[in-house]
Amino acid sequence: DAGVTQSPTHLIKTRGQHVTLRCSPISGHKSVSWYQQVLGQGPQFIFQYYEKEERGRGNFPDRFSARQFPNYSSELNVNALLLGDSALYLCASSLGSYSSSYNEQFFGPGTRLTVL
Amino acid sequence: TQLLEQSPQFLSIQEGENLTVYCNSSSVFSSLQWYRQEPGEGPVLLVTVVTGGEVKKLKRLTFQFGDARKDSSLHITAAQPGDTGLYLCAGGPGNQFYFGTGTSLTVIP
């Protein structure tokens, strides 16, 4: 079975541009979460989507948005890019949402975003 | 402010040595998870601890959840070069999920 897939693997943008990152969860998983990982730090929670609805949001500005599609894939959008948005963006899928007890998350390889 | 603090941040040891990584919080967690991440890859789940005082073993790795469910530790016995990586604890109160600050382990052959 395919694991979590993310595209693109690498991306270079300039300040002020916007970017769309994509994630396909493991087949059968209904929850997708997005994380930002700056070099040398642990991942920071951005969003969780479950059954196409936002179920959780981290401390990120409104420039960050996401959505989940009927096939449970997801997109993360970032507008008005800043240099500080340069990071590895990780997507994780799980069967259920956090609120229904712990659910093992499976992570994709990430998208490396560089903002110049 | 980090909800989960890990120590040490960096650890470099010789093959065969033992080590312990700590994960601490002022908040109570219903469960904590430990992940290992290698460069260029996403984190991989090692274990989930749920019950206060719980101890779980995974080969040479021993995980413990504090009685008050605010802290956890990871002990590695006879470390090997293949153990090199970034170790992360993580947990979530409800609809958010937090990762610790991470411990970067290097095992020197």
Side-chain angles (χ1 to χ4, degrees), chain A residues 57-69:
Chain A
R57 172 185 281 259
N59 188 24
F60 279 81
D62 292 342
R63 299 185 296 109
F64 288 77
S65 63
R67 55 179 177 168
Q68 187 177 32
F69 299 99

Side-chain angles (χ1 to χ4, degrees), chain B residues 69-88:
Chain B
R69 291 185 288 129
K70 292 182 178 181
D71 57 88
S72 181
S73 64
L74 158 61
H75 182 79
I76 301 179
T77 304
Q80 300 177 1
D83 295 328
T84 293
L86 179 67
Y87 288 83
L88 297 157

Side-chain angles (χ1 to χ4, degrees), chain A residues 1-67:
Chain A
D1 283 341
V4 177
T5 58
Q6 292 185 244
S7 63
T9 54
H10 295 85
L11 201 54
I12 300 175
K13 292 285 189 177
T14 56
R15 283 178 295 175
Q17 287 187 312
H18 73 274
V19 66
T20 299
L21 310 181
R22 295 177 175 83
C23 171
S24 292
I26 292 171
S27 177
H29 284 193
K30 298 181 178 180
S31 176
V32 169
S33 297
W34 287 96
Y35 296 84
Q36 179 195 66
Q37 186 174 25
V38 176
L39 193 63
Q41 298 181 16
Q44 297 289 316
F45 173 76
I46 309 176
F47 288 112
Q48 189 212 16
Y49 276 78
Y50 176 69
E51 288 282 17
K52 301 179 288 295
E53 291 187 1
E54 182 183 302
R55 293 299 185 97
R57 172 185 281 259
N59 188 24
F60 279 81
D62 292 342
R63 299 185 296 109
F64 288 77
S65 63
R67 55 179 177 168

Side-chain angles (χ1 to χ4, degrees), chain B residues 20-65:
Chain B
T20 301
V21 177
Y22 298 93
C23 173
N24 295 290
S25 176
S26 57
S27 300
V28 176
F29 286 84
S30 57
S31 66
L32 276 179
Q33 300 179 346
W34 283 93
Y35 291 80
R36 178 168 164 265
Q37 184 178 22
E38 297 192 35
E41 299 181 9
V44 175
L45 180 66
L46 297 174
V47 78
T48 300
V49 286
V50 179
T51 306
E54 180 178 7
V55 176
K56 282 191 173 179
K57 292 190 176 183
L58 185 66
K59 296 183 181 178
R60 296 176 293 100
L61 278 60
T62 301
F63 304 85
Q64 186 164 8
F65 201 11

